[in-house]
Amino acid sequence: MKVYILDNGYLLMDKNILLNNAVLANADEPDRRCELIHCPIMMVLIKHENGCILYDLGCHPKAGEKGYWPDRVWKSERYYHEPEQELEAQLALCGVTPKDIDTVVLSHLHEDHTGNAHLFAHAELYAPRQEFIDALLSVHTNPDTGYVKSEVLAPFKEFHLVEGDMPLYPGIELIDLPGHTNGLLGMVLHTEKDGVLIFPQDGVFCEESYGPPARLPGGFEDSAACLRSIEKVRALQQKFDAKVFFGHDPKNFPAYRHAPAYYE
Ligand SMILES: [Zn+2]
């Protein structure tokens, strides 16, 4: 198995909203609500004996332009990228085109994880069941949410809606990490040379919330579940002596091995 980390650009965000839950905690302290950080957008390509798997679909190339994302999202987080960071260019670094992807796994369906869904009608999709339901309900009832209707409704060859933990293929496990959203799939990869790699995506945004001790980040549906999910990642990390790749971590992201380099 070869594991490639794909760089899809970054979101310019308020650190206090992402990591300190500032909207709730510091509503009367606006000066604490503005410390801008560059949050990397990461996708993961896995070349496996069962085919090519793509974990998360980043942002749509037009996501930084006004009018593509729901207005509330566009105002609070702005997407920037270079042409070479678009998904197809990143896949090309690994000798792969979208047509070569057999399986897509979505951690959840927020706008910075579904952006290139239009390219994969030929692929099978694995997504968390509760999150899929929440996203469908949201795009049909509220136009101004963290979901993009055309991306949530994008066609796939087959839909596999996952509840709980699930082995995907030999050496690949999907793990349930609810909290940020009510369903969220992390991924655990057992590689030959590089050991166990854990990708929690938005289950753990940054090392700062991971700790120990874990700190409640911002942007969650269920605060208690959020903290339980962080501890679940920690227990797996300790069990397997694994490396954790945080979902949107500006400090750690540059040190990850980026495509065309890979873990194996
Ligand atoms: Zn995200």
Side-chain angles (χ1 to χ4, degrees):
M1 157 160 64
K2 291 181 178 171
V3 181
Y4 300 81
I5 293 183
L6 310 182
D7 175 357
N8 189 224
Y10 66 90
L11 293 177
L12 190 63
M13 287 191 72
D14 181 340
K15 178 178 177 180
N16 287 309
I17 290 175
L18 184 74
L19 293 179
N20 297 336
N21 195 25
V23 171
L24 295 175
N26 304 318
D28 56 347
E29 299 176 59
D31 55 320
R32 288 189 60 188
R33 293 211 308 268
C34 200
E35 184 183 347
L36 292 175
I37 50 169
H38 294 62
C39 292
I41 306 290
M42 176 171 77
M43 308 169 291
V44 185
L45 168 70
I46 303 152
K47 291 184 185 171
H48 187 273
E49 59 192 27
N50 288 47
C52 282
I53 300 147
L54 186 57
Y55 179 42
D56 276 350
L57 300 175
C59 296
H60 190 280
K62 291 193 186 314
E65 298 173 18
K66 185 168 170 52
Y68 184 80
W69 274 356
D71 224 38
R72 187 179 60 83
V73 175
W74 190 76
K75 281 180 182 152
S76 68
E77 47 197 73
R78 196 63 48 82
Y79 176 55
Y80 294 93
H81 73 288
E82 299 297 331
E84 59 269 24
Q85 292 170 313
E86 292 184 8
L87 174 58
E88 292 180 81
Q90 288 287 304
L91 289 175
L93 289 175
C94 315
V96 167
T97 71
K99 286 272 174 262
D100 299 320
I101 301 295
D102 304 289
T103 304
V104 168
V105 177
L106 289 177
S107 63
H108 63 306
L109 280 82
H110 279 164
E111 77 292 336
D112 54 323
H113 298 260
T114 56
N116 293 283
H118 59 287
L119 299 173
F120 298 99
H122 59 279
E124 298 199 18
L125 174 72
Y126 289 78
R129 173 180 285 274
Q130 188 58 53
E131 167 66 352
F132 195 79
I133 292 167
D134 290 350
L136 279 178
L137 189 64
S138 186
V139 298
H140 284 300
T141 57
N142 182 357
D144 202 16
T145 67
Y147 300 98
V148 177
K149 190 170 189 178
S150 60
E151 297 173 4
V152 170
L153 301 181
F156 286 88
K157 185 171 116 186
E158 202 171 331
F159 290 77
H160 304 270
L161 299 183
V162 180
E163 285 178 284
D165 298 350
M166 184 196 129
L168 181 65
Y169 297 125
I172 305 181
E173 291 152 23
L174 305 180
I175 54 168
D176 187 29
L177 299 175
H180 172 66
T181 47
N182 289 319
L184 191 147
L185 291 177
M187 194 179 267
V188 179
L189 304 175
H190 299 258
T191 68
E192 274 180 34
K193 292 186 187 164
D194 289 304
V196 176
L197 317 177
I198 302 177
F199 293 90
Q201 287 293 55
D202 292 13
V204 193
F205 293 131
C206 289
E207 194 172 14
E208 274 178 75
S209 19
Y210 190 59
R215 277 184 56 213
L216 187 64
F220 52 78
E221 292 286 341
D222 180 332
S223 57
C226 234
L227 293 171
R228 276 198 301 274
S229 289
I230 291 175
E231 294 310 331
K232 180 172 177 175
V233 170
R234 195 187 324 284
L236 287 166
Q237 181 189 22
Q238 288 168 354
K239 177 178 175 186
F240 295 117
D241 193 21
K243 179 168 175 55
V244 177
F245 298 80
F246 304 104
H248 290 292
D249 191 324
K251 281 191 196 133
N252 284 287
F253 186 71
Y256 300 159
R257 214 173 285 166
H258 291 195
Y262 53 84
Y263 298 85
E264 63 181 326

